[in-house]
Each structure stands twice: as structure tokens, then as C-alpha cells.
Amino acid sequence: MADNEIFADRMLSLGLARVSEAAAIASAKLIGMGDEKAADQAAVDAMRTQLNLLDIKGVVVIGEGERDEAPMLYIGEEVGSGNGPGVDIALDPLEGTTLTAKDMPNALAVIAMGPRGSMLHAPDVYMDKLAIGPGYAPGVVDLDMTPTERVLALAKAKGVKPAEIACCVLERPRHEELIREIRSTGARIRLITDGDVAGVIHCAESAKTGIDMYMGSGGAPEGVLAASALKCMGGQIQGRLLFRNDDERGRAAKAGITDLDKKYSRDDMVTQDVIFAATGVTNGSVVTGARRDGEYLETETILMRSKTGSVRRLFYRQRNQ
């Protein structure tokens, strides 16, 4: 079958849910064991096995790293049966390895899929990110605004005082000044230790999570995954790559990126319709974590399609192996 075969997102979506479920189940057996590498490897192995059962000609564009850094699910790796449509795949088999090792909230197995050529090949560098949920006019907040301007603009658009705006920020030393400025506006901050894909998704479900806006720098690959989620759920995200040295600029060149200062919108990062699945490993505000119930293991997956805006929550139960 040709690479240009129609991307049957409806038919592929349940298969994608099985992929994230398998990764979550495999890593869940290592929750609280203190071994980040083993948890990640278990998720990678399970995700790759399930991906290869799908009738796709898949290429990993966001993965575990470059080929010389990751033995499996590396950037450029071909996955799937080799039959069916050509697709781009962005994945993080275990977003929150530390969260899993320490049994902390919001560890997820995450994967997105779109037609070939639909996703930004983001290098493994930092990205400055800004995200809000659906229901706002385009450009109501902008990456070129100061943090204060963003809070004030969003509060005005929402019709509330700045004190009623809640922001999600990764707790890192590099964000100390950002945190100080946000708090100076009266806005509240929820600090997270890891897992900024989940952090961005929080914005799209603000009524449930209480989070209005995500700010700060994190991994660029995670930015593409987050953009895939918002493509399905609605909402806005902007990102700009950050480079610390020539090696990182070289990674961008290798990925085909020539404009190093480009500000990427959601639709720049994900240009066509996608499907997205995330399964809980540990309990969180997006999905519940994997849990044992006697001889059974249960998971919850959020499964989304951007073409229809559909969001499904799937509960899966299997005998504990």
C-alpha cells in the first residue's frame, strides 16, 4: 500500500489507545521502585511491540532521542506492519520517569499520530512555551508578551481579576524570575516537578483542573506532543526553540530547521489532523493511574481525534500478569 493512503484516524484510534495502555501497564509494575531507567525501558518495549502490530508505515519523529542515544523508538525509527498509510508518530512512552519511580502524580504514557509530514521534527532542546485552553480569541496572549502582560490579558479576556488566574509552571531554578513576576500580578501558580505535557493539557480542562495558562521552558519534543493534544481539545500554544550551544543548534539543522528564532503556533507544530492517546501510570488530574484490583490491573486512557474534536475516556481491565 502507498504512503499516501488515506489516514483513517477513526480506524486507527483504538489501536493507538492500545499502544499507550500497553506502555502504561508495563511501567506501572515499577511504580515507587526508584528505578527510572527500568520503568522507562519497560514502557518503551511495550509501546514498540504494540506499534508494530498496527497496519501503518510509521516513522517516529518525536521519540526517545537520536539513534545513537536510544536503541528503540529513536527519532527516524520505522514502526508498524509496513502496510497502510504513512504516518508521523510523536511519543513519550513514559512522561514522568521520576514521577513513576517516586510514585508521584501525573505520570503518563503518551502518543500522537498524524499523516506523514504533519508534525514538527523538534530537536531535543528546550522550548519556551505558552498555552491556554479553548474559548479565547486567537492571539489573546502571546509569547512576546511579558508574563505580567499575559496574566492581565487573559484575566481581561476571561472577565476576572488577575488573582483568579492560575498558571502552571515547571519547578526549576531557571523559572525563579518567571514565578516571581507571575505572583507579583496576584495570579496563583501550581508548580509541577515533571510532566509538562500533562501541564499543558490542564489548560484545556480548566474547569476540572483549575489551571488557566501554562508558561515556561521545557523539552521541545514535549511541546509537539502538547500541541497534538490541544489540536484535539482546543486551545492555543506557542513555542520558540531555545539553544544553549552550537551542538544544540546543530541538532536543529539536522532536523531541517533553518529559522532558529521562529515562533511556532499550535498549527505550525501540528499541521494536519491527528489522533492522541494518553494513559495514566500514576494518579493525576488528567487521568487516573494504573491500579491493581485483586487479580486485575485497570487503566484509564484519554483518546482524542482532532478531526471531530471527540474526546473519549476508556477504562481497560486485564488480568494482572
Side-chain angles (χ1 to χ4, degrees):
M1 297 186 183
D3 277 4
N4 61 2
E5 183 176 337
I6 293 173
F7 176 58
D9 63 322
R10 183 172 179 271
M11 298 299 292
L12 287 168
S13 59
L14 186 57
L16 201 72
R18 290 193 178 103
V19 172
S20 62
E21 283 170 356
I25 289 168
S27 55
K29 295 172 183 176
L30 291 154
I31 291 172
M33 300 297 288
D35 194 335
E36 297 181 17
K37 288 184 178 180
D40 188 54
Q41 191 63 56
V44 168
D45 293 345
M47 184 169 275
R48 186 171 184 263
T49 297
Q50 284 297 315
L51 271 172
N52 285 332
L53 296 177
L54 297 181
D55 281 331
I56 54 171
K57 291 182 179 178
V59 175
V60 176
V61 298
I62 300 292
E64 288 287 280
E66 305 291 341
R67 184 171 187 167
D68 57 350
E69 299 171 354
M72 292 194 298
L73 295 179
Y74 55 82
I75 297 167
E77 182 174 351
E78 296 181 359
V79 293
S81 69
N83 299 313
V87 298
D88 280 357
I89 296 169
L91 53 82
D92 193 339
L94 183 56
E95 203 227 0
T97 54
T98 302
L99 301 177
T100 302
K102 295 183 177 180
D103 195 4
M104 296 170 68
N106 285 316
L108 301 170
V110 183
I111 186 166
M113 182 188 295
R116 182 67 55 80
S118 60
M119 295 181 182
L120 175 68
H121 293 213
D124 190 10
V125 299
Y126 281 127
M127 175 184 276
D128 191 19
K129 305 171 196 174
L130 172 65
I132 58 174
Y136 297 102
V140 65
V141 294
D142 193 276
L143 207 56
D144 292 328
M145 291 177 172
T146 66
T148 297
E149 290 170 339
R150 296 169 190 170
V151 171
L152 297 179
L154 190 62
K156 181 178 179 181
K158 192 176 180 182
V160 299
K161 295 178 180 179
E164 295 180 62
I165 295 295
C167 301
C168 183
V169 179
L170 268 173
E171 188 174 16
R172 296 289 187 273
R174 64 180 181 270
H175 287 152
E176 287 178 1
E177 177 57 28
L178 171 65
I179 292 166
R180 185 203 63 76
E181 184 172 345
I182 293 171
R183 285 183 173 150
S184 73
T185 68
R188 293 172 289 113
I189 295 176
R190 180 180 300 172
L191 293 171
I192 57 174
T193 58
D194 290 282
D196 64 346
V197 174
V200 171
I201 292 174
H202 287 160
C203 300
E205 295 189 313
S206 59
K208 175 183 175 183
T209 64
I211 298 298
D212 298 293
M213 183 160 42
Y214 179 92
M215 280 194 251
S217 62
E222 288 82 358
V224 177
L225 276 164
S228 299
L230 292 188
K231 187 96 169 179
C232 299
M233 304 177 84
Q236 303 172 40
I237 183 170
Q238 293 180 348
R240 182 180 282 123
L241 299 176
L242 302 172
F243 303 99
R244 295 173 294 182
N245 51 50
D246 287 340
D247 175 66
E248 292 189 348
R249 283 182 278 273
R251 289 185 178 214
K254 186 177 178 181
I257 294 170
T258 55
D259 184 355
L260 301 186
D261 297 315
K262 180 179 174 68
K263 180 170 61 179
Y264 294 94
S265 68
R266 183 194 72 185
D267 294 341
D268 290 328
M269 288 189 263
V270 183
T271 62
Q272 300 181 57
D273 281 316
V274 294
I275 49 180
F276 177 97
T279 303
V281 178
T282 58
N283 276 326
S285 44
V286 177
V287 285
T288 56
R291 70 183 191 91
R292 293 179 180 86
D293 181 11
E295 63 177 312
Y296 292 93
L297 189 68
E298 298 179 346
T299 60
E300 183 186 8
T301 298
I302 186 169
L303 175 65
M304 306 184 284
R305 296 168 59 208
S306 66
K307 183 182 290 184
T308 58
S310 64
V311 178
R312 286 184 170 87
R313 291 184 178 273
L314 308 177
F315 292 90
Y316 176 66
R317 193 178 198 216
Q318 73 163 31
R319 280 196 174 88
N320 196 14
Q321 302 296 317

